[in-house]
Amino acid sequence: MSRLHVVSGKGGTGKTTVAAALALALATGGRRTLLVEVEGRQGIAQLFETEPLPYEERKIATAPGGGEVHALAIDPEFALLDYLHMFYKLGSAGRALKKLGAIDFATTIAPGLRDVLLTGKACEAVRRKGKDGRFVYDSVVMDAPPTGRITRFLNVNHEVAGLARTGPIHNQAQAVMRVLKSPQTAVHMVTLLEEMPVQETADGIAELRADGLPTGGVIINMVRPAILDQEAVEAVANGQRTAVAKALSQAGLGGARRGGLAEQLVDPLLEQAREHAERVELERAQRAELTGLGLPLHELELLTDGVDLAGLYRLAADLRKQWPT
């Protein structure tokens, strides 16, 4: 069973919302989950309606059954300070470097080092154990970069090759890759039932597989209910106009006589029904494309009023029903 869940997806698909819902779902029943943010957008704090996250792990939510969700916004500069203290025992000297701007300079000119630090912090949380010998967190969920750069972000061995071939940085990258390429990790893709997100999902999964990174599932977000299919719309359009007008009249929308208000509403309603049916057919085709990827599919409904804290718990409950135990 995976313990590090990396959540990626095309921009606009709601990957941060899904990552937060997954963290809640995995914490259900008394478990402890750490939700990690690496892009500095403070999207997690907004979803949980809390203050901006500092560079420290803190509890932000209680899951059903008494579980806990903790969160961490990883800052590359602070992560580098941790790294310098851990491997080089710099302590106050490291803090002096930060004041001089050296750390910001280092993480800017060496983006590979930045990714090592970000992924390394998450992997450290996966491996961490308490005094009782048990893992501190049952699961770690990472709200990761979008699909276009997720493979490069996770493949820190490639990133670090130009920085160091030996020494602590190299060893740290190797330790991170042992976690990322193990059964402990699963990379999940968030998508919509639209052509571009589905294509990016397929491309992203192909890249992950080519680099030997473990794929998890595909989470289809913002799924709208299918009310009518094309066959039903054509049946109404071909010979049942009078019945539709009569139904509108019975609903209090004017008389059903020819030229009346109910009759005038038939064509606009049929046009909307046709558009809906066309969307249903397109979504069916996109769902078939996703099924062909050979990964578990999970679906989350569209919350028409937006995602507030109550909606987040609702999505988590839905996700928990679909998630393997």
Side-chain angles (χ1 to χ4, degrees):
M1 178 64 69
S2 301
R3 298 186 58 251
L4 174 59
H5 299 268
V6 180
V7 180
S8 182
K10 186 181 185 301
T13 59
K15 72 176 179 64
T16 299
T17 299
V18 171
L22 179 57
L24 275 170
L26 292 172
T28 301
R31 300 178 180 88
R32 282 168 56 93
T33 300
L34 177 65
L35 178 57
V36 175
E37 182 176 76
V38 298
E39 294 185 281
R41 295 185 294 106
Q42 290 293 339
I44 292 172
Q46 295 174 33
L47 280 169
F48 284 94
E49 301 175 6
T50 187
E51 297 177 356
L53 298 174
Y55 182 65
E56 63 182 32
E57 296 164 21
R58 74 179 189 191
K59 179 181 174 182
I60 60 169
T62 300
E68 296 180 353
V69 176
H70 295 245
L72 171 66
I74 304 179
D75 182 287
E77 290 190 8
F78 284 108
L80 183 53
L81 284 176
D82 283 350
Y83 177 86
L84 293 173
H85 176 70
M86 183 183 304
F87 291 104
Y88 295 99
K89 311 299 181 186
L90 288 186
S92 58
R95 290 190 291 274
L97 287 173
K98 185 180 189 307
K99 290 181 180 179
L100 293 172
I103 291 178
D104 181 57
F105 177 73
T107 55
T108 300
I109 66 169
L113 176 59
R114 181 181 183 277
D115 289 350
V116 170
L117 295 169
L118 294 173
T119 54
K121 190 68 177 177
C123 290
E124 182 275 326
V126 172
R127 299 190 302 261
R128 192 191 313 157
K129 292 185 178 180
K131 294 180 180 179
D132 59 0
R134 301 175 61 183
F135 288 115
V136 173
Y137 294 107
D138 297 289
S139 301
V140 176
V141 178
M142 180 193 291
D143 178 21
T147 316
R149 74 181 198 92
I150 185 62
T151 301
R152 184 172 182 179
F153 173 77
L154 294 175
N155 196 359
V156 293
N157 261 346
H158 173 76
E159 291 296 320
V160 83
L163 299 174
R165 299 187 183 278
T166 60
I169 294 178
H170 175 82
N171 294 338
Q172 170 74 351
Q174 291 292 317
V176 169
M177 290 309 302
R178 281 194 292 271
V179 174
L180 293 179
K181 290 198 173 185
S182 76
Q184 293 185 80
T185 299
V187 185
H188 310 292
M189 292 293 189
V190 181
T191 187
L192 307 177
L193 288 175
E194 298 173 4
E195 186 174 358
M196 286 187 64
V198 168
Q199 186 59 56
E200 281 205 19
T201 297
D203 293 343
I205 289 171
E207 290 180 4
L208 289 169
R209 286 171 168 166
D211 277 23
L213 292 162
T215 52
V218 176
I219 303 168
I220 306 173
N221 196 22
M222 296 186 249
V223 177
R224 293 170 287 187
I227 301 170
L228 296 171
D229 58 18
Q230 191 64 39
E231 184 178 353
V233 172
E234 290 176 357
V236 173
N238 297 330
Q240 297 192 36
R241 294 176 55 83
T242 302
V244 173
K246 184 176 180 180
L248 291 172
S249 177
Q250 291 173 344
L253 297 175
R257 68 185 184 281
R258 188 168 185 81
L261 177 60
E263 175 71 21
Q264 295 174 28
L265 289 173
V266 172
D267 285 335
L269 282 175
L270 286 178
E271 182 58 31
Q272 289 189 24
R274 289 190 190 95
E275 291 176 359
H276 174 82
E278 288 174 2
R279 178 177 63 78
V280 169
E281 288 300 313
L282 289 172
E283 290 181 350
R284 183 178 291 123
Q286 297 306 315
R287 189 179 279 107
E289 291 286 337
L290 293 171
T291 301
L293 297 175
L295 295 175
L297 298 185
H298 313 281
E299 298 195 14
L300 293 175
E301 65 176 315
L302 171 67
L303 300 182
T304 55
D305 294 331
V307 182
D308 56 9
L309 193 55
L312 194 60
Y313 274 84
R314 180 176 166 183
L315 293 176
D318 192 14
L319 201 52
R320 184 62 186 170
K321 294 176 184 177
Q322 305 176 53
W323 212 257
T325 56

